[in-house]
Amino acid sequence: MKRFSGFLIVGTILFSACKSNETTPTESISLGLHQSGRLGSEVVVRVDSIQDGRCPMDLNCIWAGQAKVKLLLSKGTDSKFARLLLGPDGSNKRPDSTTVSLKNERYKVILREINPYPSLANQGKPQTAVVQVTKI
């Protein structure tokens, strides 16, 4: 029994000492214009603007269009703006994501969707941005 207990203690110490580069669990939030929300106990996200120029689903357009969101991310007294885009931007980058540093920690920010998708039936309905933030 003493050997087994010793094995468990040594194993626990070794396991806790081996810290990998794992990211924290991903969290997402859905916010409307000028709304704020806290992700976990760390990051506050505020939607400053939503511009949706995507082609409505019940129309035929020459171009698919874009949807843009401007976010303010804060952690304590540190804050950064992020501008994200859904749709083509003419580059090979991923305009729907960026990396932000807050309080010497890095976060991956991804714009997952903007709802509702434009249509004639959805005109005038308030929009929400679904944002995912992952500590990296």
Side-chain angles (χ1 to χ4, degrees):
M1 186 66 167
K2 287 183 181 181
R3 284 186 189 187
F4 182 71
S5 298
F7 177 75
L8 283 177
I9 292 171
V10 172
T12 303
I13 292 170
L14 288 175
F15 181 76
S16 62
C18 297
K19 200 164 192 170
S20 68
N21 289 334
E22 292 179 3
T23 59
T24 60
T26 299
E27 295 191 54
S28 65
I29 191 166
S30 179
L31 298 168
L33 186 60
H34 305 298
Q35 289 183 333
S36 297
R38 182 178 301 274
L39 289 168
S41 61
E42 296 187 349
V43 179
V44 175
V45 179
R46 185 181 77 208
V47 176
D48 279 355
S49 70
I50 299 174
Q51 299 173 346
D52 198 347
R54 296 176 292 179
C55 179
M57 66 176 75
D58 37 16
L59 295 178
N60 289 323
C61 301
I62 295 172
W63 188 53
Q66 299 174 331
K68 300 175 186 179
V69 173
K70 180 180 173 187
L71 306 167
L72 177 67
L73 295 107
S74 305
K75 182 177 179 184
T77 58
D78 196 5
S79 60
K80 299 278 188 321
F81 282 102
R83 288 175 174 78
L84 301 174
L85 168 76
L86 293 178
D89 77 339
S91 74
N92 290 332
K93 297 186 316 179
R94 290 208 42 186
D96 64 340
S97 66
T98 191
T99 302
V100 174
S101 292
L102 296 168
K103 293 275 188 179
N104 296 319
E105 294 183 318
R106 293 169 36 100
Y107 296 89
K108 177 88 170 187
V109 183
I110 302 171
L111 176 60
R112 288 292 177 197
E113 57 187 315
I114 295 176
N115 294 311
Y117 197 92
S119 72
L120 295 176
N122 290 334
Q123 284 183 345
K125 289 187 179 177
Q127 292 184 300
T128 60
V130 178
V131 180
Q132 178 179 320
V133 179
T134 306
K135 187 175 177 180
I136 52 176

